[in-house]
Amino acid sequence: QVQLVESGGGLVQAGDSLRLSCLDSGRTFSSYAMGWFRQAPGKEREFVATINWSGTRTYYADSVKGRFTISRDNAKNTVYLQMNSLQPEDTAVYFCARSPITKIPFRDGDVGSFGSWGQGTQVTVSS
């Protein structure tokens, strides 16, 4: 059974940076598109970024475009989310997930194609 394990979250101040990692325990990581999502308290889970299997195509939510960068290292079965210029509204639990289909551009209904969700990592940004 595939497991995705996120790490790298923490408590930072506004303007700081964090890099999240998501390690895929499966053998087919390089065959899947990957995505980052987040869920703030009292809010629905929302899309953050996605990357295709080879890392050549990416797509971001408008709220993070220009500040966050998704990347992957298929040799390490890991997808990353570099988060710069963090703001209090970025506070959330961040999850990674994988999809057999690249969803670029990402539409609201596309979250259904993602599975094998990780347990999440908390990111808290203080003002």
Side-chain angles (χ1 to χ4, degrees), residues 70-87:
I70 188 172
S71 62
R72 67 189 296 160
D73 185 336
N74 286 346
K76 296 182 178 179
N77 276 22
T78 301
V79 61
Y80 304 97
L81 185 68
Q82 177 66 43
M83 306 186 295
N84 298 330
S85 301
L86 283 161
Q87 299 300 317

Side-chain angles (χ1 to χ4, degrees), residues 2 15 18 20 27 31 40 52-53 59 61 73 95-96 104 110 115:
V2 171
L18 277 176
L20 305 184
R27 299 181 180 181
S31 300
N52 71 333
W53 68 273
Y59 190 79
D73 185 336
F95 300 89
C96 65
I104 294 176
D110 290 339

Side-chain angles (χ1 to χ4, degrees), residues 36-38 46-50 59-62 64 68 81 94:
W36 283 99
F37 300 79
R38 66 187 182 186
E46 66 173 354
F47 166 76
V48 175
T50 187
Y59 190 79
Y60 299 91
D62 287 343
V64 306
F68 291 11
L81 185 68
Y94 284 71

